[in-house]
């Protein structure tokens, strides 16, 4: 029995030595590399115009405002132009609303509250410039129907296209 116990002790000792010699060693050295990260941000813009409702016209000047909402990528320069509208004979400096009965009612759109800077469609001349912030920006459109017109009775309307160039 003594030999059996001694053989077991020897076998256990050998197993302990084998296990100890195969155990992982601690790491003392390091190596490093790099990971390249990239992305691109594309300049992009959207634009939405609101309605301008002048209300009743009684041959006196009528002023009203509307808004244009612009959303452009941060740092993106833009121009906002307004075309002449769909009224027959309209130009950007003399817009016309039309009625179903054939009448017209002149009006104007301006870039400033004094209503002295016409809002047209020629970049560098009569458009509004800005730079995107990445957040929505609200631009005010100042409208005016001049006094002393004698339009036919009716409901007048026009559609003006907003063009954002960036």
């Amino acid at each position: 029995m003594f030999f059996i116990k001694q053989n077991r002790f020897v076998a256990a000792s050998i197993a302990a030595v084998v296990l100890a010699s195969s155990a992982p060693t601690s790491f003392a050295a390091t190596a490093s590399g790099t990971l390249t990260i990239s992305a691109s941000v594309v300049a992009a813009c959207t634009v939405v115009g609101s309605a301008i409702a002048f209300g009743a016209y009684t041959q006196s000047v009528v002023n009203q405002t509307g808004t244009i909402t612009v959303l452009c990528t941060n740092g993106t320069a833009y121009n906002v132009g307004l075309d002449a509208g769909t009224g027959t004979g309209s130009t950007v400096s003399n817009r016309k609303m039309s009625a179903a009965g054939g009448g017209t009612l002149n009006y104007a759109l301006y870039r400033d509250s004094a209503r002295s800077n016409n809002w047209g469609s020629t970049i560098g001349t009569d458009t509004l410039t800005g730079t995107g912030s990445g957040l929505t920006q609200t631009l005010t459109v100042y409208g005016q129907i001049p006094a002393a017109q004698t339009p036919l009775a009716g409901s007048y309307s026009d559609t003006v296209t907003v063009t954002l160039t960036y």
Side-chain angles (χ1 to χ4, degrees):
M1 274 283 179
F2 174 73
F3 288 111
I4 293 176
K5 285 185 182 180
Q6 190 177 12
N7 284 343
R8 283 188 187 157
F9 176 75
V10 170
S13 297
I14 291 172
V17 169
V18 168
L19 286 175
S21 65
S22 65
T25 58
S26 63
F27 297 102
T30 61
S32 64
T34 60
L35 181 62
T36 303
I37 310 299
S38 66
S40 62
V41 177
V42 178
C45 293
T46 59
V47 63
V48 177
S50 73
I52 299 176
F54 285 107
Y57 177 71
T58 58
Q59 295 186 327
S60 298
V61 171
V62 180
N63 290 322
Q64 194 53 267
T65 61
T67 60
I68 296 172
T69 304
V70 173
L71 175 60
C72 286
T73 308
N74 192 11
T76 302
Y78 62 82
N79 271 280
V80 177
L82 304 179
D83 76 357
T86 58
T88 303
S90 290
T91 66
V92 294
S93 58
N94 187 26
R95 292 180 169 93
K96 298 176 184 291
M97 288 184 267
S98 301
T104 61
L105 182 60
N106 295 336
Y107 73 100
L109 300 176
Y110 299 96
R111 296 171 280 157
D112 62 317
S113 61
R115 291 174 171 80
S116 59
N117 293 306
N118 182 61
W119 201 330
S121 58
T122 304
I123 294 174
T125 301
D126 58 4
T127 59
L128 190 71
T129 62
T131 302
S133 64
L135 303 171
T136 57
Q137 296 172 308
T138 302
L139 311 175
T140 302
V141 181
Y142 300 91
Q144 183 177 77
I145 299 175
Q149 296 183 67
T150 56
L152 298 172
S155 295
Y156 290 79
S157 65
D158 191 17
T159 301
V160 174
T161 299
V162 179
T163 301
L164 188 140
T165 305
Y166 62 97

